[in-house]
Amino acid sequence: MALTAHAMRGDEELALKAGCDGYLAKPIDTRSFADRITGFIAAANARRAQTQPDQSHGN
């Protein structure tokens, strides 16, 4: 998760390519901040679940 006060054009793309699960520029909206973080975590967990080998076979 990248949180920055130096938001320049292209920075979000660079952060995501570098492996960040989300990007927020300051100032943040405190009313939606927790929901946005929750969304980033859910999306990251979904991506990780897709890349994990299926372990349901009990091997």
Side-chain angles (χ1 to χ4, degrees), residues 32-52:
S32 64
F33 182 73
D35 288 337
R36 295 202 55 201
I37 297 299
T38 300
F40 291 140
I41 292 169
N45 287 339
R47 282 192 302 275
R48 285 184 187 94
Q50 290 176 350
T51 61
Q52 297 294 321

Side-chain angles (χ1 to χ4, degrees), residues 1-22:
M1 175 67 212
L3 177 63
T4 183
H6 296 285
M8 303 290 288
R9 181 174 290 140
D11 286 352
E12 179 175 6
E13 182 180 351
L14 290 173
L16 297 175
K17 282 183 180 181
C20 290
D21 292 317

Side-chain angles (χ1 to χ4, degrees), residues 15-31:
L16 297 175
K17 282 183 180 181
C20 290
D21 292 317
Y23 180 92
L24 292 174
K26 292 179 184 177
I28 61 169
D29 179 351
T30 57
R31 295 167 294 187

